Structure formats: C-alpha cells, structure tokens
Amino acid sequence: MRAAVLHQPHDLELVDKPIPSAGPGEVILKTEANTMCGTDYRLFTGAKTAGVRSGVVPGHEIAGRVHEIGDGVSDILPNLRVGQQATVSIVVSCGACVNCLNDREHLCTRLELFGYAIDGGLQEYITVPAHAIRRGNLMPTSTDLDPKALCLAEPISCCLNGLDQYRVEPGDTVVILGAGPIGLIHTQLALHSGAKQVIVSNRSAHRREVAERLGAIGLDPTEGSLDEQVRELTGGVGADAVVVCIGAVELAQDALVLAREGGRVNYFAGFPKGSTSVMEPNLIHYKELEVTGGSNARRRDVARAIELLEAGAISADEIVTHEFPLSRVQDAYAAVNDRIGVKIAVVPD
C-alpha cells in the first residue's frame, strides 16, 4: 500500500508499505478519504511538534471501512462487521489522569493523537491499535455517508466542544470571525442551535459568499468599522456570542468589543505558540463577559458529530471543495498552504 510518511519537518515522502494485518484487539480500516486542515500544514513545517512522532503517517480527519477485525474485538464491539463505515475519535486518552477523571479526556495529560503519534489517514489502510479500541475510539456509522462528509466528524466534534462553551440560545445573534472550514462549521452549528442571525466576518469575498449560502450575513472587515457594522445589525446591542475562528492575535480584542453586555466570547482558534495579545480587561470586567476556549473533543462529541452528519444538519459540499489522489499528496499540502477552495480531501488512487 501507499502511505505518506513525515520523517521530519518539510520531509514528507510517499512510500510503499505492506498492508497491515489485524493483531489481537486491533481493527484495520481501508481508507476512503482524509480531509486536511491548517494543523496538518503546521506539522509539515514544524510549527507544531508536540506529540508528533518522527516517521508518522499524518492525517486526522479520517473516513474508512472496516477491512479486518482482530481477535477479541468482538468482546468490545459485538456488532462491528467487515465493510462497515467508520471513523476514529483522534484523542486516545489514558482514562486515569486528573483531566480524564474530571470529564476532560480531550485534555488528557498523556494523550496520543491519530496523525501525530499514531499513524493517520494519509495511507491506504489504517491500523486502529488495541488500546484505542479498548478506549472506544473507533466510531462506526449507522448509515453510509459520503466519505468526505464523514471526515468532517473530527472538526465538527471539536466545534461541538466549543459550542458547549459559548452556547447558543434560540434567538441569539452570533458573530463568527473567520469563514474557513471551522468558521463555516460554527456557522452551521449556530444556525442549527436556533440563532436568529449569524454574522460572519471574512476578507475573502468567496468565503463570505459560502457563508451566505449557508444562511449567514457576510461582512467585510476591511469596509469600515466591524463594530459599527455589527451594531447596525443588532440595534446597537452587540452579539450574544462571538467565536474567534482565525488565530490572529488582534481578534482577541475585537471579539471583546463586539460582544454585548453579558455576552460570551470563545477563542476557538489556536494562536501561534508563544503569541500574546493586547486586550482591554475592563471590557470583560464592565460588560461581565464570559470568555472561554475550546480544544480537541471527547469521544461523545465525535458520536454527536456523526449524528448531525447522518441527519443532514451539516453541508459538507460547501466545505470540502477540492480533492487530490494520495499520489499527489504533496500537491494537496501546497493547496492547503495556498488556501485553494475551502477544504482539501485526499483519497486513495
């Protein structure tokens, strides 16, 4: 089989490897698709190295089908069958650290991630190791999905974890800063949760158009004051919730300005390591803002994401816009860096 191997930053090689066989407690998936995100490119450049194993097969937004089931798996997953579609919850947690014991398995102090330490989806067959099977990280679907849609279960699950932090009540106005794949997922989740209006700010006219097709109001932050544009749309009140979906440090302050008194602000995007932001803390103090973050996802969040996809609540076609064969994986990475379309999928040849 073919596999993309990341030996070290900027050293990604497409190699031939033996097709794996399922050992005791393991499951082999035949890869159907793997979508890519900005984190994949940061792993490639070395901007992100924590938990990354030299020689790993990258890719953490995975769709596949059960190819082989190892001995003992039926004791854990009695209904699992060969040919069944499945993805993985990428955070393999220890189950014993303080975070795991306090319902924060996604922040496990000893976590392993698919595509970082465990070989991921940029290969034709994937081994789901026994300890991941025991932890419940294999997530079968109950009905077949477009593989490129199933890949989105991972980013959707992370967005659901963020949504749990900033919350959307029926009738709310939500401002999304950024219309990349994550911003567009948050847009759909906010509308699905009953938001009266979702306002999406992005410099790209194309991505604003995508947000508008999904039911949002698109704003160009370069056309005057974003604060004034939002206040005009909210009767001078401001947003009930603001979600930062781009890791630009200046947006940390902008989000506080855009929120109404008693509003919620969520810093969902990851910012550059070691970066700092100049913020006005009195905005949090006097407006009594609730400020949260959001990182990774629990297994149950992945299950929720699959249910939303199966219900048709998330439009994958507006998000996954370009496809590359695995043989052109280098071109796929270049497309991510060049921001071609919205989201890139890599599929076996």
Side-chain angles (χ1 to χ4, degrees):
M1 71 167 187
R2 284 179 167 175
V5 175
L6 184 63
H7 299 291
Q8 59 185 2
H10 296 286
D11 185 2
L12 183 79
E13 182 185 13
L14 194 63
V15 304
D16 290 322
K17 297 171 61 176
I19 296 174
S21 296
E26 296 178 342
V27 170
I28 307 299
L29 298 180
K30 191 177 191 301
T31 307
E32 290 189 303
N34 185 100
T35 51
M36 300 180 69
C37 76
T39 300
D40 291 299
Y41 197 78
R42 290 194 291 276
L43 265 64
F44 172 71
T45 63
K48 190 175 184 66
T49 58
V52 181
R53 173 176 57 81
S54 175
V56 73
V57 175
H60 59 274
E61 300 179 2
I62 297 165
R65 288 191 181 273
V66 176
H67 174 71
E68 186 181 358
I69 301 172
D71 291 343
V73 172
S74 60
D75 296 336
I76 302 168
L77 295 168
N79 297 319
L80 190 70
R81 66 184 188 279
V82 170
Q84 189 170 7
Q85 196 177 44
T87 186
V88 293
S89 177
I90 73 163
V91 179
V92 183
S93 57
C94 73
C97 70
V98 63
N99 284 337
C100 285
L101 295 176
N102 283 281
D103 195 32
R104 295 188 182 91
E105 65 180 57
H106 56 306
L107 303 179
C108 173
T109 60
R110 294 190 288 271
L111 63 77
E112 292 180 287
L113 297 171
F114 279 87
Y116 291 62
I118 302 170
D119 285 346
L122 291 179
Q123 57 183 335
E124 294 182 87
Y125 293 86
I126 305 164
T127 300
V128 184
H131 68 291
I133 296 294
R134 290 194 300 271
R135 288 292 292 157
N137 286 77
L138 183 66
M139 297 283 178
T141 63
S142 60
T143 185
D144 278 2
L145 293 166
D146 181 329
K148 289 177 285 188
L150 181 56
C151 289
L152 297 183
E154 193 281 329
I156 292 169
S157 69
C158 296
C159 292
L160 285 168
N161 177 45
L163 177 66
D164 288 344
Q165 314 304 319
Y166 66 83
R167 305 181 309 280
V168 174
E169 303 293 340
D172 276 354
T173 291
V174 180
V175 170
I176 307 291
L177 299 180
I182 290 298
L184 295 173
I185 291 172
H186 276 292
T187 295
Q188 295 185 72
L189 290 177
L191 289 167
H192 182 73
S193 300
K196 177 178 67 177
Q197 59 180 352
V198 176
I199 302 166
V200 177
S201 170
N202 198 271
R203 295 181 180 182
S204 165
H206 167 68
R207 292 197 173 186
R208 291 197 304 274
E209 290 169 3
V210 175
E212 288 167 355
R213 287 199 297 270
L214 292 171
I217 300 167
L219 293 183
D220 184 347
T222 67
E223 293 187 354
S225 165
L226 185 59
D227 182 35
E228 290 177 2
Q229 293 183 71
V230 169
R231 289 191 177 278
E232 183 176 349
L233 290 167
T234 59
V237 175
D240 298 285
V242 183
V243 189
V244 178
C245 297
I246 304 174
V249 293
E250 65 272 14
L251 296 182
Q253 166 71 4
D254 292 347
L256 302 179
V257 172
L258 296 173
R260 66 162 173 81
E261 283 80 1
R264 286 100 57 197
V265 171
N266 183 261
Y267 297 137
F268 185 85
F271 294 88
K273 186 175 182 179
S275 62
T276 60
S277 176
V278 177
M279 299 165 60
E280 187 179 350
N282 268 342
L283 289 171
I284 301 172
H285 173 69
Y286 285 110
K287 293 169 76 171
E288 297 188 354
L289 299 178
E290 183 178 338
V291 181
T292 58
S295 178
N296 285 336
R298 302 167 179 83
R299 290 163 294 174
R300 67 170 180 267
D301 298 320
V302 181
R304 292 161 63 197
I306 293 171
E307 289 174 359
L308 286 171
L309 288 164
E310 290 176 340
I314 301 294
S315 172
D317 290 341
E318 292 285 9
I319 296 175
V320 185
T321 57
H322 288 68
E323 179 180 308
F324 289 83
L326 181 60
S327 59
R328 294 179 57 201
V329 67
Q330 299 279 5
D331 294 334
Y333 272 86
V336 172
N337 184 50
D338 294 339
R339 299 188 178 183
I340 301 299
V342 180
K343 197 169 188 67
I344 305 296
V346 176
V347 298
D349 292 69

